């Protein structure tokens, strides 16, 4: 485990945005941008210290830009597959994946990632 590297937090934008029925489906990109901005402002509650935040977007949310504190990764295909790739690339590092998707949770836990639900980053 790379104790020097900050915690890598990978956020499933579609899943987190979709966890609250607030009209996000009318403007998926705008909803992803609001989530990105909240992450940039608030970080990950309960995780003090350095954190590297990656927001994975797909579909209509592609095109959301990165901002200081949050790197946006536009999945070329499946967002779930991209998150699994990111976890695999971070082997030896502490990784937290934020999603409620059961299959994705299973896949990333097999690679050693921790998982948390959308409420971790969205009140």
């Amino acid at each position: 485990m790379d104790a020097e590297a900050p915690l890598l937090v990978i956020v499933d934008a579609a899943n987190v945005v979709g966890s609250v029925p607030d009209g996000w489906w009318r403007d998926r990109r705008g909803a992803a941008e609001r989530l990105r901005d909240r992450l940039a402002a608030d970080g990950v509650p309960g995780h003090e210290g350095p954190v590297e935040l990656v927001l994975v977007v797909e579909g209509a949310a592609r095109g959301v830009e990165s901002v200081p504190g949050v790197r946006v990764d536009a999945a070329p295909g499946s967002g779930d597959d991209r998150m699994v790739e990111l976890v695999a690339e971070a082997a030896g590092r502490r990784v937290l994946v934020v999603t409620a998707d059961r299959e994705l949770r299973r896949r990333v836990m097999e690679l050693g990632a921790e998982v948390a639900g959308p409420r971790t980053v969205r009140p």
Side-chain angles (χ1 to χ4, degrees):
M1 184 79 52
D2 185 353
E4 305 259 333
L7 171 67
L8 173 60
V9 179
I10 301 169
V11 179
D12 181 350
N15 190 268
V16 172
V17 164
S19 69
V20 176
D22 61 1
W24 59 265
W25 52 89
R26 290 187 293 269
D27 181 11
R28 293 170 193 258
R29 183 175 174 163
E33 288 171 339
R34 288 188 296 279
L35 174 58
R36 175 205 59 198
D37 295 346
R38 187 170 39 255
L39 290 169
D42 300 340
V44 181
H47 293 278
E48 303 305 320
V51 206
E52 179 183 351
L53 272 162
V54 179
L55 180 66
V56 177
V57 297
E58 62 188 350
R62 284 188 194 103
V64 171
E65 301 287 330
S66 296
V67 296
V70 180
R71 177 169 59 93
V72 177
D73 189 309
S78 160
D80 290 4
D81 290 346
R82 181 62 185 138
M83 286 179 270
V84 171
E85 289 172 4
L86 289 170
V87 171
E89 291 168 5
R93 187 171 171 191
R94 187 169 170 225
V95 179
L96 172 67
V97 177
V98 179
T99 185
D101 182 303
R102 288 183 186 162
E103 177 61 14
L104 177 58
R105 291 168 77 100
R106 182 194 64 75
R107 291 172 67 193
V108 298
M109 288 173 63
E110 286 178 353
L111 296 172
E114 300 170 44
V115 295
R119 289 185 182 179
T120 304
V121 296
R122 183 168 190 168

